[in-house]
Amino acid sequence: MSRTTGGPPRVLVVDDEHDVADTQALKLGERYEATAVYSGQAALDAAGPKFDAVLLDRRMPDVHGDDVLSQLRERGYDGVIIMLTAVDADLNILEMPFDDYLQKPVDQSTLLSTLDQHLDRPQEDDRLDEYFRISSKLSVLEREKSASQLESSTEYTELKERARELEWVLQAENDDFEELKETYQSICRS
């Protein structure tokens, strides 16, 4: 159920490749009301509280997806933002305020499962959301970077420690935390 309309959640799909954006929007049509736009500027013009989530490509010619992400958060957009991209992750993602990171190509099942996980939680828990945001970044980087590259990053080490702290607290407070974590980890993000 959408936070804003009472109907199905609304998702803005942003990709400069028209066919890709349209295909992703079509894949979502089963459970979500999806709107496709084809540039970073169009995303900035369209995004707002009427959308519960944004699927955002990183590499776009007019306004880069990283800049769109920053501007949306600066404007106060607090909906789910999922980076959906073919760009290999680098340590710079540690500072980026997205909720999840999926690498193309993404099948329909993964796309729906990821959105479901972020949008279908009955009660919001900021710590759980933070844990999943951190977990997404860590899992992408652990696939893309060597152990020595990660160990040399203070930001990575600090984020890894924060994930451990959150996991400990969430396990103590939520009987279903392990099930939520298992469901989250079952989604293929690469």
Side-chain angles (χ1 to χ4, degrees), residues 80-91:
V80 172
I81 299 178
I82 298 171
M83 302 304 281
L84 185 59
T85 182
V87 176
D88 289 337
D90 204 347
L91 291 171

Side-chain angles (χ1 to χ4, degrees), residues 90-91 94 137-158 160:
D90 204 347
L91 291 171
L94 292 171
K137 291 175 183 181
L138 294 175
S139 87
V140 168
L141 288 173
E142 288 164 359
R143 276 192 316 275
E144 298 287 325
K145 301 297 174 194
S146 70
S148 63
Q149 288 174 306
L150 295 175
E151 290 168 7
S152 67
S153 168
T154 304
E155 294 89 355
Y156 173 82
T157 304
E158 290 171 355
K160 187 98 170 163

Side-chain angles (χ1 to χ4, degrees), residues 128-139:
L128 190 59
D129 291 338
E130 180 185 3
Y131 176 78
F132 286 134
R133 277 192 305 273
I134 291 170
S135 294
S136 175
K137 291 175 183 181
L138 294 175
S139 87

Side-chain angles (χ1 to χ4, degrees), residues 9-58:
R10 299 190 68 208
V11 179
L12 181 65
V13 178
V14 184
D15 199 304
D16 62 305
E17 295 182 50
H18 292 236
D19 291 346
V20 172
D22 292 341
T23 299
Q24 291 167 351
L26 187 61
K27 289 177 181 179
L28 298 175
E30 179 179 301
R31 286 198 282 260
Y32 298 100
E33 184 179 323
T35 301
V37 296
Y38 312 108
S39 70
Q41 187 57 55
L44 291 169
D45 294 342
K50 66 183 176 185
F51 288 101
D52 301 293
V54 176
L55 295 179
L56 181 59
D57 186 29
R58 284 188 77 183

Side-chain angles (χ1 to χ4, degrees), residues 54-144:
V54 176
L55 295 179
L56 181 59
D57 186 29
R58 284 188 77 183
R59 189 174 291 147
M60 294 183 286
D62 67 329
V63 181
H64 197 278
D66 296 1
D67 296 328
V68 173
L69 171 66
S70 295
Q71 288 182 48
L72 288 177
R73 293 300 192 208
E74 286 170 11
R75 292 179 182 178
Y77 178 75
D78 67 347
V80 172
I81 299 178
I82 298 171
M83 302 304 281
L84 185 59
T85 182
V87 176
D88 289 337
D90 204 347
L91 291 171
N92 68 342
I93 71 168
L94 292 171
E95 301 297 323
M96 296 171 66
F98 58 78
D99 295 286
D100 217 326
Y101 195 99
L102 300 175
Q103 291 181 294
K104 294 177 185 174
V106 178
D107 63 34
Q108 181 178 20
S109 173
T110 299
L111 201 53
L112 291 171
S113 296
T114 303
L115 278 166
D116 290 349
Q117 181 160 37
H118 287 284
L119 294 173
D120 288 349
R121 275 194 237 121
Q123 49 184 306
E124 291 188 30
D125 182 338
D126 291 338
R127 292 170 306 171
L128 190 59
D129 291 338
E130 180 185 3
Y131 176 78
F132 286 134
R133 277 192 305 273
I134 291 170
S135 294
S136 175
K137 291 175 183 181
L138 294 175
S139 87
V140 168
L141 288 173
E142 288 164 359
R143 276 192 316 275
E144 298 287 325

